[in-house]
Amino acid sequence: GGASLKPSFMEIVSKVGPSKMAEMWPKFEEKMKKDGMNETAMAAFKYTYGVLVSGADVMIPESKLDPVESLTEYEKLKEKPDPRLLKKTLILKLNGGLGTGMGLDKAKSLLEVTGGLTFLDLIAKQVATMKKEFKTDLKFMLMNSFSTSKDTLEALSKYPELGTGSDLEFVQNKAPKVTASDMSPAEWPSNPDHEWCPPGHGDLYPAMLGSGTLEKLLKKGYRYMFVSNSDNLGATMDLKILSHFVQSGAPFMTEVAERTDADKKGGHLAKDKATGGLLLRESAQCPEEDEKEFQNVGKYKFFNTNNLWVDLVALKREFRRNDGALPLPVMKNAKTVDPRDKKSTAVLQLETAMGAAIQCFQGASALVIPRSRFAPVKTTNDLLALRSDAYTLTEDSTIVLAAERQGVPPDVKLDGMYKFMDALEKLIPNGPPSLINCKKLVVEGPMTFGKDVVIKGTVTVKNTSGTEKELAAGVYEDKTVEL
């Protein structure tokens, strides 16, 4: 572990000016109790709030880090895959996110990806295929949020074999927003919902413990957990990785991929100089003067894909050792209490990230995986590429890049006017263009794609007239088209 970077709770509170904690904590406690929050959720927030008011430096400067030189690679794994381990393993998908960035007010995983199938359909089908292939039952669960639970359970009711109710989901906690000026609980009487925020996916651990899910799984004989984001279609259960994880004896393992220039703004894996343990540094934890090194992909070669493997017995042990709250690094986000009203009260939202738990477990490890296990959908650009023939849907319901692509996805850059789903659907009324031989597609201005449009190489399609025009059927190769 990287103890040098995470003060213990008692160190924090004794340093605080215990005064701020003593003054404000009862107010937060009362607010959370009134809302019916469980002890574990309150302990997790007490820890993050303690870090905040202690004024502890949550930054991770260059001087505390060493780069990670080499790691085990997926292609070189020697362990013999052991299908018997599947009976003891839980597949967990994080499904708390709404597709607000794409103009959706429902779970992002309910978006149609390909051929009328949503992310959730594909995940359900993947699980069914594995059950058949290994002739074994596979335990599957979702971590939903208050805003995704109902829609998701409804959508999955057509796959009853996956499980139902609390066998299928537990719900992540919420955290109080903190008033920036005096560290008190934020108040917004005209819409009290705005007083709460999601605590980041690091909440996975306290939500599992507090909901009773962890205990229930251990009682039923489950020992290992594979966690990934529901919008990452590359994150499928892989018996080779599971067998390696179990035989290595590591309590925790993260799948990392090699950083390219496109990834330089995102977090990276590093070593804690003091302990030699692995940790993650996100951009929010990097002091400004170290920005250049943070983005140096030759030095910090790996990023965390958020595909994680966890030994549940070790997880329970860490909770016990830390008085019921994992000491995850805390990230501060400055917002306004009503996100749409920039004049409303300035607040701080405290978040933790689940991958950062790598520094809580002695002996945690990382595995370098092929980029194919990391295919998240963050924008309509990603979705247009996924729906095109640059990707194929395999028999086991995985979406993979077509062989012709040689592992490189097409680079799609749509005009900002296509940021939301309804605008994307209007752009491609006849379905997506062929992108199997496309290196880069740039779309600027209002238009629709005709039927049978084929894009090859690097193509820019522009319409500066302001009135919508159609890109007619045909093959467009390495050119700029002015409509």
Side-chain angles (χ1 to χ4, degrees), residues 208-222:
M208 276 191 91
L209 182 69
S211 63
T213 305
L214 180 59
E215 212 33 61
K216 209 156 71 176
L217 288 165
L218 287 166
K219 273 208 178 84
K220 288 184 174 167
Y222 293 102

Side-chain angles (χ1 to χ4, degrees), residues 188 336-346:
W188 200 245
T336 51
V337 67
D338 177 348
R340 290 210 170 85
D341 176 1
K342 297 299 165 212
K343 290 194 181 64
S344 63
T345 317

Side-chain angles (χ1 to χ4, degrees), residues 45-117:
F45 183 74
K46 188 172 189 177
Y47 176 80
T48 52
Y49 184 72
V51 172
L52 173 73
V53 295
S54 71
D57 186 3
V58 294
M59 291 304 192
I60 306 179
E62 204 56 27
S63 56
K64 288 191 176 175
L65 299 181
D66 281 322
V68 178
E69 290 307 333
S70 64
L71 290 168
T72 309
E73 292 168 32
Y74 178 81
E75 287 76 12
K76 297 186 180 147
L77 291 181
K78 300 269 190 298
E79 290 86 351
K80 195 173 177 300
D82 181 358
R84 290 172 309 183
L85 295 171
L86 290 169
K87 279 194 176 55
K88 298 186 208 167
T89 305
L90 160 73
I91 300 173
L92 180 74
K93 289 282 183 184
L94 294 196
N95 192 50
L98 292 171
T100 36
M102 293 161 86
L104 279 183
D105 56 358
K106 56 179 181 183
K108 188 168 156 194
S109 56
L110 295 173
L111 262 178
E112 184 191 319
V113 184
T114 184
L117 299 170

